[in-house]
Amino acid sequence: GDSVTQMEGPVTLSEEAFLTINCTYTATGYPSLFWYVQYPGEGLQLLLKATKADDKGSNKGFEATYRKETTSFHLEKGSVQVSDSAVYFCALSDPGNRDDKIIFGKGTRLHILP
Amino acid sequence: EAGVAQSPRYKIIEKRQSVAFWCNPISGHATLYWYQQILGQGPKLLIQFQNNGVVDDSQLPKDRFSAERLKGVDSTLKIQPAKLEDSAVYLCASSLHQKNIQYFGAGTRLSVL
């Protein structure tokens, strides 16, 4: 079945460092890919998405490119801030399914030190 | 626009007790979801409603979990009786229709002792 694998955390970086959180997926169809972020004490928020190969999703300085050849959707940011500290979830949704079930990875906790 | 509301935020119970969670989705959203998020894992879909009908409950442990959305608006999720392994955050989400972006509530953190 469909699945998402993302790098384990926690990831600890200094402010203004470059961030990469790796994500790979397995899907039978052509899924849509997402990154969600969960700030402390809050629910999940959609950070960015990409719906087809070579699409780049971007938001708040974060980017991720849908790579069909490597089945990857790595999250990047050029200069992180303390306020980026959160848990990041990679996820997919297979539009070939009747419903829009989202399959989440296990999450990667990010700590940014001032 | 008000977001997805959930209550309570926290609940502590002993095993074999019963517990209920409430969710009020964003106004006008036809689709409502309940997820279970165990510590260190991603959310897992328990049940999905389209208006007041169940679309998918394949991952819902039906011997102890139940959910309803009688009027197609707010929803309750019940666990009876609770087990230790039910300790988790229970997230509610809603979307305008199926295949639209899902908006999540802050969740209810359940601790079963």
Side-chain angles (χ1 to χ4, degrees), chain B residues 20 84 108:
Chain B
L84 297 177
T108 297

Coordinates of all heavy atoms in Angstrom, one line a residue, chain B residues 20 84 108:
Chain B
A20 N -15.5 10.8 25.7 CA -16.1 11.3 24.5 C -15.4 12.6 24.1 O -15.1 13.4 25.0 CB -17.6 11.5 24.6
L84 N -5.1 1.2 27.7 CA -3.8 2.0 27.8 C -3.3 2.5 26.5 O -2.9 3.6 26.3 CB -2.8 1.2 28.5 CG -3.0 0.8 30.0 CD1 -1.9 -0.1 30.5 CD2 -3.2 2.0 30.9
T108 N -7.4 16.8 20.9 CA -7.6 16.4 22.3 C -6.6 15.4 22.7 O -6.5 14.3 22.1 CB -9.0 15.8 22.5 OG1 -10.0 16.7 22.2 CG2 -9.2 15.3 24.0

